[in-house]
Amino acid sequence: MNGLKLFLKLFLAVLFLVSGFAKLFPIEPFELLIVNQSFIGWGFVPFISRLIIAFELFLGLALLTNIYYRKIFLPVSFLLLLAFNIQLIASMAMQTAGDNCGCFGEVLPMSPLEALLK
């Protein structure tokens, strides 16, 4: 059972790291996605987009360590995934979801439904 736990932990960490790095290159489509799906204007989008990316990268790196893994980083990672899923469902309901959810930037385009299934 420890092998499965280790695999899932590494998988989740790599998922956050790949997602964060993929949104960086280029970052402009991710910023446009945030503007189109929220009430945040172009003045704050550079800060918000980089904050989201930095948090994903930090969480991915933190999951690779065993420091506060069960108390902090595992619950936070599930809350972040829950928040992303709620955002995807809301964007689909309000019909603001485009062809690409932006989960992996422009590197791996996915529809919001594909991202939910992931």
Side-chain angles (χ1 to χ4, degrees):
M1 192 65 162
N2 277 342
L4 179 62
K5 286 181 183 179
L6 180 62
F7 172 76
L8 291 175
K9 176 183 166 181
L10 292 175
F11 180 75
L12 190 59
V14 169
L15 191 69
F16 277 118
L17 290 171
V18 169
S19 176
F21 281 119
K23 288 176 186 157
L24 281 174
F25 307 109
I27 196 169
E28 290 83 10
F30 181 59
E31 291 175 337
L32 179 62
L33 183 74
I34 293 172
V35 168
N36 288 340
Q37 293 185 1
S38 66
F39 300 105
I40 299 170
W42 281 107
F44 289 111
V45 164
F47 302 110
I48 297 298
S49 63
R50 284 155 181 83
L51 182 67
I52 292 169
I53 292 168
F55 189 65
E56 279 185 309
L57 293 173
F58 171 75
L59 199 52
L61 290 173
L63 286 171
L64 293 176
T65 69
N66 283 330
I67 303 170
Y68 302 114
Y69 170 68
R70 286 184 171 234
K71 288 186 176 186
I72 296 176
F73 296 122
L74 190 61
V76 169
S77 66
F78 284 118
L79 286 174
L80 184 61
L81 289 174
L82 179 66
F84 285 157
N85 284 335
I86 290 170
Q87 185 273 331
L88 284 170
I89 292 168
S91 67
M92 288 170 38
M94 293 185 301
Q95 297 180 348
T96 58
D99 295 337
N100 185 4
C101 68
C103 300
F104 289 98
E106 296 297 306
V107 174
L108 182 63
M110 279 192 273
S111 72
L113 183 59
E114 291 171 338
L116 281 174
L117 294 175
K118 166 192 59 89

